[in-house]
Amino acid sequence: MSQLTANDLKEKLKKKLITEKGVEVSTASNKDIYYALASIVNDEIMPKWYETIKRYQDKNLKQVYYLSMEFLIGRLLESNLLNSGLLNIAKEALEDLGFCSELVFAEERDAGLGNGGLGRLAACFLDSLASLYYPGHGFGIRYRYGLFEQRIIHGNQVELPDYWLKEPYPWETRKEEEAFVIQFHGKVHMFKRNDGSLEFKYENTDKVLAVPYDIPVLGYQNEVVNTLRLWSAEPVAYQEAGQEENSEFYHDLDHQHSIEQISGFLYPDDSNYEGKELRLKQQYFLVSSSIQNIIRSFKKNYRLPISRLPEKVVIQINDTHPSLAVPELMRILMDEERLDWDTAWEITTHVLAYTNHTTLSEALETWPEEMIQNLLPRIYMIIDEINERFCKSIWFDHKELRDKIPDLAVIACGRVHMARLAIVGSFSVNGVARIHTEILKKQEMKDFYTLFPNKFNNKTNGITHRRWLLQVNPKLSNVISEAIGTQWIKRPKQLISLLKYSNDKALLEKFDQVKHENKKILANYIHQQTGILVDDQSIFDVQIKRLHEYKRQLLNIFHVIYLYNELKANPNQDVTPRTFIFGAKAAPSYHLAKEIIKLINTVASIVNYDKDINGKLKVIFLENYNVSLAEKIIPAADISEQISTASKEASGTGNMKMMMNGAVTLGTMDGANIEIYDLVGENNIFIFGLNADEVLDYYQNGGYNARDIYNTDDRVRLILDQLNQGEFGIHNIEFKDIFYNILYHNDPYFVLKDFEPYLEAHELAERAYRNRTTWMNMSVTNIAYSGKFSSDQTIREYATDIWKIKQMD
Ligand code: 26W
């Protein structure tokens, strides 16, 4: 940990400003200060980074590599200060110099290199790996454009490009000399060598250079600095491309542009798989550069025969997006390391492990056979052989599954099924919450579970409590530490000691005060952003996540419309004022999701300005939901809305973040909500609605008729008619698709079915909230149990059960 004092830091800042920027503190901008401070932190980091790499090498430790198309790391200055033990003195130094630390931190652009849960999980995992002294590193893509920036214009989502690299990014180091060449297209020729082995030669391939940019990943005050390596696509030098210096090819700007496009932008869809060739190129680009890198490091560091790769290397693939790792590792082992098929297969299937993050069928990746064949001819040959051998093994060794071969084959009906490829090629397949893993085993991957029962295991997700509690909620962290000491920071499960105080009125009041202060801060932010005044004494009811039908933001806004209708009918109703806060991006091509955003904003524009309502109800849609915005909202949440149609949300992680900050969950028995329920008990959570079995039963056997509810429930009919008849101040057709989806497509996500139980859950919550002691007791109980969801716990489980890696001592 750094020994710097606030005064040292001030001096260093002054010096940096002069030497690197030529400005004095008195004239420095927040941005100048941001860069100067980042540079000081980097000076602290660099020697530790170098030391960490050396120590891993000296100790010969097995390494884990986390391959992911997404790393949603957000901002780094504040978390790097926190982890290097400099945050408090930095805040003090900045204040002394007349700067507001928050404004300085806000100068950093979010690294939005992810869509949502899967990308943020990868970032939390890196934090835990480093904090727990594990030799673990991330490999991803350095997209020039991250997830789009969302603006709301006249209630509609508008997408703007996120050119986050417009200004220099102080955390990355370009390592040109460590680049690799990646090959696409071309022809493969097969030759027999004298020893009978096969040699594959490529002709006319398109070569692309993968240049790494390294970002340090700091452990919490433990001197460890791991690496997140992001690949950037560039044209290769003409010599390497086999071209003349002044050839047309090399100077063809279109060609250069098409290469750079490979790391050009992040695909903004986290639900619908899109079969675009560029996406496939991105996937192979990530996989090939990372695996080449892993093999080179293995050879350089361990000097062991390649057959011992599984002793020193394990690769976790984050969903199926990097599942070309299976044939790519096979290719390198066979074509470059000259191993035979069986030996290569033995190694591959002991190095790769696969995590599944969704059971939504529309998200399951399959690629047209010809596309892979044309883009990656050698890889296609290998997949074809994997498929053939796998199908044969079923035919001969699992006769009972012969009929199922079309549903199991890696290549079927002209498409390559990536999840099947990942399962066959990995030694571990895990789901991300208990119920999710059970659904994989019993339904989605049932036959694979029969074939490989030992591969399947559960690893419930987690979140880093360092960012999501210590950093984002310093006030709450202080009150916790005053009560139970600071040990929970290194051992989050010790938050459980808070239970002893869950009836201590004085302490509960302190928690209440902190929540209220956080709500005031958020209320100010809301005012600043939207011009709307919200009552900081009202219940802050929060739903923040990607917009998707299965997540049911629609159910939430229907409830708001219901409350509004009730208040209009009876303005003097004695209700606790409520503020409903939404944050959500819709995939640009997801029409219905965008219509739901428009509906939320339309309801907001009516409710917020209706004098009859007298401020008892407010609806806030905060635009551009991202990691930094989550950090502002979560500490202020009272109610955490986790209302997905049961069976659909693999885990959820926002549920854990809000719980850890003292919000009480109102949700369905889905994903990790179930595990929250098991811990806190039925009195400390509001559960409603269909459970997963009931939902799956309806899907299989029918029996649900949404129109019956429309016909019999006046409250529901009123809402739907208001949508359909343009009561919300718009012409009739605006929300027709929502209306049709519910009544003509039979409400596929059971919004109407769960409507009444949802109302009841809200009524219970409102009643509980009125009794401050009851509520704060619930809130503190949730914080107490939340340590279980620290990603430290999750990473320990991955490390011992799957990766078999050791902490550095
Ligand atoms: C091919 C398009 C695509 C892109 C991303 C399909 C699917 C994805 C991800 C798998 C979607 C995702 O982020 N899933 C979420 O993963 C979280 C971390 O495990 C879980 O907590 C969420 O429940 C799950 O929806």
Side-chain angles (χ1 to χ4, degrees):
M1 202 172 125
S2 173
Q3 301 300 321
L4 290 180
T5 66
N7 275 335
D8 298 337
L9 201 57
K10 276 191 276 184
E11 290 313 309
K12 278 180 182 278
L13 267 172
K14 287 180 191 160
K15 207 164 152 205
K16 281 274 179 204
L17 285 169
I18 285 289
T19 54
E20 288 183 14
K21 255 295 174 154
V23 291
E24 282 190 306
V25 174
S26 55
T27 52
S29 64
N30 282 328
K31 184 157 285 151
D32 295 333
I33 298 282
Y34 161 70
Y35 278 111
L37 194 50
S39 170
I40 293 170
V41 176
N42 272 329
D43 292 343
E44 296 277 313
I45 292 174
M46 289 296 168
K48 295 180 188 165
W49 203 355
Y50 169 78
E51 272 303 311
T52 305
I53 295 169
K54 221 168 82 173
R55 275 168 73 193
Y56 288 155
Q57 283 174 4
D58 292 348
K59 289 178 182 292
N60 258 310
L61 292 177
K62 183 175 182 183
Q63 315 266 328
V64 61
Y65 298 97
Y66 202 80
L67 257 61
S68 178
M69 290 284 282
E70 307 190 4
F71 284 93
L72 194 44
I73 54 182
R75 292 180 180 143
L76 291 185
L77 178 55
E78 192 176 1
S79 62
N80 284 348
L81 284 167
L82 176 76
N83 287 0
S84 30
L86 291 172
L87 184 57
N88 288 336
I89 65 159
K91 283 184 179 170
E92 195 184 321
L94 291 180
E95 205 169 295
D96 286 355
L97 295 174
F99 288 89
C100 161
S101 55
E102 265 162 59
L103 294 179
V104 170
F105 298 153
E107 288 294 331
E108 180 167 350
R109 289 196 66 135
D110 266 49
L113 308 185
N115 272 289
L118 160 135
R120 183 54 231 173
L121 185 75
C124 284
F125 279 5
L126 292 183
D127 181 279
S128 287
L129 280 165
S131 295
L132 297 176
Y133 301 83
Y134 282 119
H137 312 278
F139 277 118
I141 293 180
R142 180 179 178 269
Y143 302 105
R144 254 171 304 120
Y145 291 87
L147 185 62
F148 66 85
E149 214 173 284
Q150 179 195 54
R151 292 281 158 76
I152 300 297
I153 297 176
H154 302 308
N156 293 305
Q157 167 175 301
V158 173
E159 301 100 26
L160 302 179
D162 167 46
Y163 190 23
W164 70 292
L165 289 169
K166 192 159 64 191
E167 290 174 6
Y169 186 59
W171 308 113
E172 65 179 10
T173 312
R174 180 180 164 94
K175 297 269 175 73
E176 224 166 25
E177 64 291 353
E178 296 185 38
F180 290 96
V181 174
I182 315 299
Q183 309 198 60
F184 296 102
H185 298 295
K187 277 217 162 82
V188 187
H189 299 285
M190 199 162 67
F191 301 92
K192 226 181 196 139
R193 297 194 191 93
N194 291 340
D195 62 1
S197 66
L198 292 177
E199 183 177 356
F200 293 88
K201 283 201 175 142
Y202 306 145
E203 189 188 34
N204 277 335
T205 56
D206 295 337
K207 296 193 176 70
V208 175
L209 198 66
V211 180
Y213 284 73
D214 287 352
I215 298 176
V217 180
L218 278 65
Y220 180 72
Q221 304 184 3
N222 68 353
E223 310 289 309
V224 172
V225 182
N226 288 342
T227 304
L228 168 58
R229 173 161 278 198
L230 301 179
W231 300 102
S232 178
E234 299 180 8
V236 295
Y238 51 85
Q239 299 97 329
E240 270 183 84
Q243 303 287 326
E244 296 291 317
E245 180 170 2
N246 53 6
S247 78
E248 248 174 66
F249 164 84
Y250 189 64
H251 293 281
D252 181 351
L253 285 180
D254 280 349
H255 178 256
Q256 183 163 334
H257 179 72
S258 83
I259 287 176
E260 285 166 358
Q261 267 299 87
I262 297 176
S263 53
F265 71 96
L266 165 83
Y267 273 86
D269 205 322
D270 73 335
S271 49
N272 244 306
Y273 146 79
E274 225 194 312
K276 290 262 163 65
E277 190 184 55
L278 179 57
R279 168 91 176 168
L280 184 62
K281 270 192 187 166
Q282 291 187 334
Q283 297 187 347
Y284 184 67
F285 175 73
L286 165 69
V287 158
S288 181
S289 50
S290 307
I291 301 228
Q292 290 189 59
N293 196 153
I294 291 167
I295 300 283
R296 185 177 64 190
S297 308
F298 170 78
K299 289 180 161 178
K300 192 169 131 237
N301 298 335
Y302 302 98
R303 301 186 179 282
L304 291 172
I306 194 77
S307 56
R308 295 179 63 184
L309 190 70
E311 287 170 42
K312 296 296 175 192
V313 167
V314 54
I315 301 171
Q316 189 71 36
I317 57 179
N318 202 17
D319 216 274
T320 57
H321 321 149
S323 55
L324 289 173
V326 178
E328 176 66 2
L329 184 51
M330 286 296 285
R331 181 188 71 80
I332 293 176
L333 293 175
M334 294 189 301
D335 299 1
E336 287 171 20
E337 301 300 324
R338 298 196 176 197
L339 300 179
D340 59 60
W341 180 280
D342 291 334
T343 316
W345 187 245
E346 179 73 10
I347 296 173
T348 300
T349 50
H350 283 85
V351 165
L352 294 172
Y354 153 59
T355 304
N356 173 285
H357 294 266
T358 181
T359 52
L360 298 182
S361 54
E362 63 273 26
L364 285 184
E365 291 185 296
T366 63
W367 296 101
E369 233 180 315
E370 327 76 84
M371 197 190 277
I372 296 194
Q373 199 165 14
N374 169 46
L375 185 69
L376 306 165
R378 177 65 184 130
I379 290 297
Y380 176 79
M381 291 162 78
I382 297 171
I383 297 175
D384 196 35
E385 183 153 356
I386 293 174
N387 180 49
E388 200 179 309
R389 288 172 181 249
F390 175 56
C391 292
K392 271 191 189 144
S393 77
I394 302 173
W395 187 265
F396 291 112
D397 307 335
H398 288 274
K399 298 201 171 65
E400 76 286 1
L401 288 177
R402 279 184 178 178
D403 290 352
K404 296 279 179 58
I405 288 179
D407 304 329
L408 292 165
V410 175
I411 303 176
C413 300
R415 304 191 74 91
V416 179
H417 292 248
M418 303 315 265
R420 300 179 193 171
L421 178 62
I423 300 171
V424 174
S426 304
F427 67 89
S428 163
V429 177
N430 77 281
V432 291
R434 201 173 61 218
I435 183 181
H436 170 59
T437 302
E438 286 310 307
I439 292 176
L440 291 180
K441 292 199 288 195
K442 289 197 190 118
Q443 321 243 339
E444 242 59 40
M445 300 179 169
K446 183 165 160 277
D447 298 322
F448 282 103
Y449 181 53
T450 311
L451 285 172
F452 312 115
N454 299 329
K455 287 192 187 185
F456 284 77
N457 65 95
N458 176 245
K459 295 288 167 282
T460 298
N461 282 164
I463 56 168
T464 164
H465 63 287
R466 287 168 287 273
R467 180 179 286 256
W468 295 108
L469 176 51
L470 203 53
Q471 180 188 318
V472 306
N473 204 341
K475 294 191 185 96
L476 179 60
S477 302
N478 287 337
V479 176
I480 294 173
S481 296
E482 277 169 35
I484 63 169
T486 55
Q487 283 195 334
W488 64 272
I489 297 172
K490 291 238 162 165
R491 299 185 193 291
K493 273 196 181 157
Q494 297 208 2
L495 285 170
I496 201 71
S497 316
L498 284 171
L499 283 185
K500 279 188 265 175
Y501 302 94
S502 56
N503 289 312
D504 177 335
K505 277 214 165 164
L507 191 71
L508 292 187
E509 249 164 52
K510 278 196 196 162
F511 278 98
D512 205 3
Q513 247 170 29
V514 165
K515 181 62 83 180
H516 187 222
E517 283 165 26
N518 290 335
K519 286 166 72 173
K520 275 196 205 155
I521 296 171
L522 182 59
N524 271 332
Y525 177 81
I526 290 173
H527 184 230
Q528 203 189 37
Q529 291 294 306
T530 65
I532 300 167
L533 283 169
V534 303
D535 176 359
D536 54 48
Q537 302 282 355
S538 65
I539 302 177
F540 279 21
D541 183 305
V542 175
Q543 188 173 19
I544 42 176
K545 49 186 82 244
R546 284 299 287 260
L547 211 135
H548 200 290
E549 288 162 87
Y550 85 79
K551 293 179 189 282
R552 297 200 296 192
Q553 281 92 351
L554 194 58
L555 177 58
N556 188 340
I557 200 66
F558 276 10
H559 171 238
V560 174
I561 298 173
Y562 159 78
L563 290 176
Y564 175 70
N565 289 339
E566 291 289 294
L567 275 170
K568 284 297 269 187
N570 182 3
N572 296 324
Q573 241 185 94
D574 174 27
V575 293
T576 316
R578 281 188 257 205
T579 304
F580 290 90
I581 298 167
F582 293 85
K585 286 179 182 175
S589 60
Y590 194 167
H591 170 74
L592 205 57
K594 288 182 147 177
E595 206 161 277
I596 294 170
I597 289 182
K598 172 86 188 205
L599 176 62
I600 296 170
N601 283 303
T602 305
V603 172
S605 67
I606 293 165
V607 169
N608 294 342
Y609 301 102
D610 189 328
K611 295 258 168 5
D612 296 349
I613 297 302
N614 204 11
K616 286 178 188 160
L617 197 58
K618 287 274 160 78
V619 182
I620 305 296
F621 188 100
L622 287 171
E623 67 184 0
N624 201 34
Y625 178 62
N626 60 9
V627 172
S628 295
L629 185 53
E631 290 171 0
K632 292 196 176 71
I633 299 172
I634 289 170
D638 291 312
I639 292 183
S640 158
E641 297 264 359
Q642 308 298 337
I643 58 178
S644 53
T645 308
S647 80
K648 297 280 177 193
E649 188 69 271
S651 160
T653 44
N655 45 2
M656 302 168 183
K657 291 167 197 156
M658 285 202 261
M659 171 195 194
M660 198 172 265
N661 283 273
V664 179
T665 304
L666 192 155
T668 48
M669 280 301 232
D670 199 18
N673 297 352
I674 298 178
E675 288 159 69
I676 296 178
Y677 169 90
D678 285 349
L679 288 169
V680 302
E682 59 180 0
N683 294 329
N684 296 301
I685 189 166
F686 300 96
I687 294 290
F688 73 96
L690 295 173
N691 64 30
D693 287 339
E694 290 165 334
V695 169
L696 295 171
D697 193 80
Y698 275 130
Y699 281 134
Q700 261 157 32
N701 306 317
Y704 171 52
N705 187 355
R707 194 168 278 277
D708 288 346
I709 299 181
Y710 174 80
N711 287 336
T712 52
D713 188 328
D714 295 344
R715 301 163 299 188
V716 167
R717 194 167 53 256
L718 178 57
I719 295 167
L720 281 172
D721 290 348
Q722 283 170 319
L723 281 192
N724 197 32
Q725 288 156 13
E727 199 139 320
F728 292 120
I730 7 204
H731 36 88
N732 291 343
I733 55 161
E734 195 86 43
F735 301 116
K736 74 172 188 323
D737 292 315
I738 298 177
F739 181 84
Y740 274 81
N741 202 258
I742 294 214
L743 289 184
Y744 294 86
H745 295 143
N746 200 28
D747 184 16
Y749 295 93
F750 302 96
V751 172
L752 299 195
K753 180 77 189 165
D754 276 349
F755 183 71
E756 172 144 20
Y758 183 56
L759 257 50
E760 286 165 6
H762 267 291
E763 276 159 23
L764 286 178
E766 190 210 352
R767 227 172 294 150
Y769 188 85
R770 284 172 182 234
N771 184 330
R772 296 314 297 153
T773 321
T774 316
W775 186 266
M776 288 320 297
N777 184 308
M778 292 175 82
S779 166
V780 172
T781 305
N782 272 275
I783 301 170
Y785 283 107
S786 69
K788 176 94 199 300
F789 297 111
S790 164
S791 44
D792 288 4
Q793 176 61 25
T794 316
I795 282 299
R796 278 202 193 88
E797 290 171 17
Y798 274 92
T800 39
D801 301 348
I802 304 178
W803 301 333
K804 317 281 184 210
I805 56 168
K806 292 205 182 71
Q807 291 164 296
M808 179 168 66
D809 41 38

PDB file of all heavy atoms in Angstrom, residues 356-368:
ATOM      1  N   ASN A 356     -22.429 -20.513 -19.349  1.00  0.00           N
ATOM      2  CA  ASN A 356     -23.640 -20.131 -20.075  1.00  0.00           C
ATOM      3  C   ASN A 356     -24.349 -19.007 -19.298  1.00  0.00           C
ATOM      4  O   ASN A 356     -24.451 -19.058 -18.080  1.00  0.00           O
ATOM      5  CB  ASN A 356     -24.558 -21.355 -20.211  1.00  0.00           C
ATOM      6  CG  ASN A 356     -25.898 -20.979 -20.804  1.00  0.00           C
ATOM      7  OD1 ASN A 356     -26.755 -20.395 -20.151  1.00  0.00           O
ATOM      8  ND2 ASN A 356     -26.094 -21.285 -22.065  1.00  0.00           N
ATOM      9  N   HIS A 357     -24.841 -17.986 -20.014  1.00  0.00           N
ATOM     10  CA  HIS A 357     -25.481 -16.852 -19.333  1.00  0.00           C
ATOM     11  C   HIS A 357     -26.938 -16.644 -19.722  1.00  0.00           C
ATOM     12  O   HIS A 357     -27.531 -15.643 -19.321  1.00  0.00           O
ATOM     13  CB  HIS A 357     -24.747 -15.547 -19.633  1.00  0.00           C
ATOM     14  CG  HIS A 357     -23.367 -15.487 -19.091  1.00  0.00           C
ATOM     15  ND1 HIS A 357     -23.072 -14.927 -17.866  1.00  0.00           N
ATOM     16  CD2 HIS A 357     -22.200 -15.925 -19.587  1.00  0.00           C
ATOM     17  CE1 HIS A 357     -21.773 -15.011 -17.651  1.00  0.00           C
ATOM     18  NE2 HIS A 357     -21.218 -15.616 -18.684  1.00  0.00           N
ATOM     19  N   THR A 358     -27.480 -17.521 -20.531  1.00  0.00           N
ATOM     20  CA  THR A 358     -28.871 -17.285 -20.911  1.00  0.00           C
ATOM     21  C   THR A 358     -29.505 -18.554 -21.472  1.00  0.00           C
ATOM     22  O   THR A 358     -28.824 -19.364 -22.107  1.00  0.00           O
ATOM     23  CB  THR A 358     -28.980 -16.148 -21.959  1.00  0.00           C
ATOM     24  OG1 THR A 358     -30.342 -15.932 -22.274  1.00  0.00           O
ATOM     25  CG2 THR A 358     -28.227 -16.481 -23.236  1.00  0.00           C
ATOM     26  N   THR A 359     -30.818 -18.691 -21.234  1.00  0.00           N
ATOM     27  CA  THR A 359     -31.518 -19.808 -21.862  1.00  0.00           C
ATOM     28  C   THR A 359     -32.471 -19.290 -22.938  1.00  0.00           C
ATOM     29  O   THR A 359     -33.195 -20.079 -23.548  1.00  0.00           O
ATOM     30  CB  THR A 359     -32.342 -20.605 -20.825  1.00  0.00           C
ATOM     31  OG1 THR A 359     -33.159 -19.682 -20.106  1.00  0.00           O
ATOM     32  CG2 THR A 359     -31.436 -21.348 -19.876  1.00  0.00           C
ATOM     33  N   LEU A 360     -32.461 -17.986 -23.158  1.00  0.00           N
ATOM     34  CA  LEU A 360     -33.365 -17.451 -24.185  1.00  0.00           C
ATOM     35  C   LEU A 360     -32.952 -18.012 -25.548  1.00  0.00           C
ATOM     36  O   LEU A 360     -31.811 -17.841 -25.970  1.00  0.00           O
ATOM     37  CB  LEU A 360     -33.277 -15.926 -24.244  1.00  0.00           C
ATOM     38  CG  LEU A 360     -33.670 -15.146 -22.986  1.00  0.00           C
ATOM     39  CD1 LEU A 360     -33.571 -13.659 -23.259  1.00  0.00           C
ATOM     40  CD2 LEU A 360     -35.080 -15.512 -22.554  1.00  0.00           C
ATOM     41  N   SER A 361     -33.894 -18.644 -26.218  1.00  0.00           N
ATOM     42  CA  SER A 361     -33.516 -19.326 -27.464  1.00  0.00           C
ATOM     43  C   SER A 361     -33.061 -18.332 -28.522  1.00  0.00           C
ATOM     44  O   SER A 361     -32.174 -18.621 -29.325  1.00  0.00           O
ATOM     45  CB  SER A 361     -34.670 -20.172 -27.969  1.00  0.00           C
ATOM     46  OG  SER A 361     -35.802 -19.352 -28.083  1.00  0.00           O
ATOM     47  N   GLU A 362     -33.643 -17.128 -28.486  1.00  0.00           N
ATOM     48  CA  GLU A 362     -33.258 -16.166 -29.525  1.00  0.00           C
ATOM     49  C   GLU A 362     -31.827 -15.652 -29.347  1.00  0.00           C
ATOM     50  O   GLU A 362     -31.262 -15.030 -30.235  1.00  0.00           O
ATOM     51  CB  GLU A 362     -34.258 -15.002 -29.613  1.00  0.00           C
ATOM     52  CG  GLU A 362     -34.395 -14.111 -28.394  1.00  0.00           C
ATOM     53  CD  GLU A 362     -35.416 -14.608 -27.357  1.00  0.00           C
ATOM     54  OE1 GLU A 362     -35.662 -15.843 -27.299  1.00  0.00           O
ATOM     55  OE2 GLU A 362     -35.926 -13.774 -26.595  1.00  0.00           O
ATOM     56  N   ALA A 363     -31.228 -15.935 -28.180  1.00  0.00           N
ATOM     57  CA  ALA A 363     -29.851 -15.481 -27.960  1.00  0.00           C
ATOM     58  C   ALA A 363     -28.820 -16.556 -28.290  1.00  0.00           C
ATOM     59  O   ALA A 363     -27.632 -16.303 -28.264  1.00  0.00           O
ATOM     60  CB  ALA A 363     -29.681 -15.026 -26.511  1.00  0.00           C
ATOM     61  N   LEU A 364     -29.307 -17.769 -28.568  1.00  0.00           N
ATOM     62  CA  LEU A 364     -28.360 -18.857 -28.824  1.00  0.00           C
ATOM     63  C   LEU A 364     -27.697 -18.704 -30.195  1.00  0.00           C
ATOM     64  O   LEU A 364     -28.372 -18.628 -31.219  1.00  0.00           O
ATOM     65  CB  LEU A 364     -29.073 -20.206 -28.736  1.00  0.00           C
ATOM     66  CG  LEU A 364     -29.399 -20.650 -27.308  1.00  0.00           C
ATOM     67  CD1 LEU A 364     -30.009 -22.041 -27.319  1.00  0.00           C
ATOM     68  CD2 LEU A 364     -28.175 -20.620 -26.409  1.00  0.00           C
ATOM     69  N   GLU A 365     -26.380 -18.690 -30.185  1.00  0.00           N
ATOM     70  CA  GLU A 365     -25.674 -18.426 -31.427  1.00  0.00           C
ATOM     71  C   GLU A 365     -25.560 -19.664 -32.307  1.00  0.00           C
ATOM     72  O   GLU A 365     -25.117 -20.723 -31.865  1.00  0.00           O
ATOM     73  CB  GLU A 365     -24.255 -17.960 -31.122  1.00  0.00           C
ATOM     74  CG  GLU A 365     -24.172 -16.605 -30.490  1.00  0.00           C
ATOM     75  CD  GLU A 365     -22.721 -16.188 -30.350  1.00  0.00           C
ATOM     76  OE1 GLU A 365     -21.974 -16.856 -29.611  1.00  0.00           O
ATOM     77  OE2 GLU A 365     -22.331 -15.201 -30.995  1.00  0.00           O
ATOM     78  N   THR A 366     -25.925 -19.484 -33.580  1.00  0.00           N
ATOM     79  CA  THR A 366     -25.620 -20.491 -34.590  1.00  0.00           C
ATOM     80  C   THR A 366     -25.144 -19.726 -35.815  1.00  0.00           C
ATOM     81  O   THR A 366     -25.643 -18.643 -36.094  1.00  0.00           O
ATOM     82  CB  THR A 366     -26.848 -21.329 -34.993  1.00  0.00           C
ATOM     83  OG1 THR A 366     -27.825 -20.477 -35.598  1.00  0.00           O
ATOM     84  CG2 THR A 366     -27.465 -22.049 -33.808  1.00  0.00           C
ATOM     85  N   TRP A 367     -24.155 -20.254 -36.499  1.00  0.00           N
ATOM     86  CA  TRP A 367     -23.645 -19.571 -37.705  1.00  0.00           C
ATOM     87  C   TRP A 367     -23.886 -20.452 -38.916  1.00  0.00           C
ATOM     88  O   TRP A 367     -23.734 -21.673 -38.840  1.00  0.00           O
ATOM     89  CB  TRP A 367     -22.145 -19.297 -37.565  1.00  0.00           C
ATOM     90  CG  TRP A 367     -21.811 -18.361 -36.465  1.00  0.00           C
ATOM     91  CD1 TRP A 367     -21.335 -18.680 -35.235  1.00  0.00           C
ATOM     92  CD2 TRP A 367     -21.924 -16.932 -36.500  1.00  0.00           C
ATOM     93  NE1 TRP A 367     -21.152 -17.540 -34.486  1.00  0.00           N
ATOM     94  CE2 TRP A 367     -21.502 -16.452 -35.233  1.00  0.00           C
ATOM     95  CE3 TRP A 367     -22.351 -16.002 -37.454  1.00  0.00           C
ATOM     96  CZ2 TRP A 367     -21.478 -15.102 -34.903  1.00  0.00           C
ATOM     97  CZ3 TRP A 367     -22.328 -14.648 -37.127  1.00  0.00           C
ATOM     98  CH2 TRP A 367     -21.900 -14.206 -35.868  1.00  0.00           C
ATOM     99  N   PRO A 368     -24.217 -19.819 -40.063  1.00  0.00           N
ATOM    100  CA  PRO A 368     -24.368 -20.614 -41.283  1.00  0.00           C
ATOM    101  C   PRO A 368     -23.051 -21.320 -41.591  1.00  0.00           C
ATOM    102  O   PRO A 368     -21.984 -20.708 -41.527  1.00  0.00           O
ATOM    103  CB  PRO A 368     -24.671 -19.577 -42.363  1.00  0.00           C
ATOM    104  CG  PRO A 368     -25.075 -18.338 -41.647  1.00  0.00           C
ATOM    105  CD  PRO A 368     -24.470 -18.389 -40.285  1.00  0.00           C
TER     106      PRO A 368
END
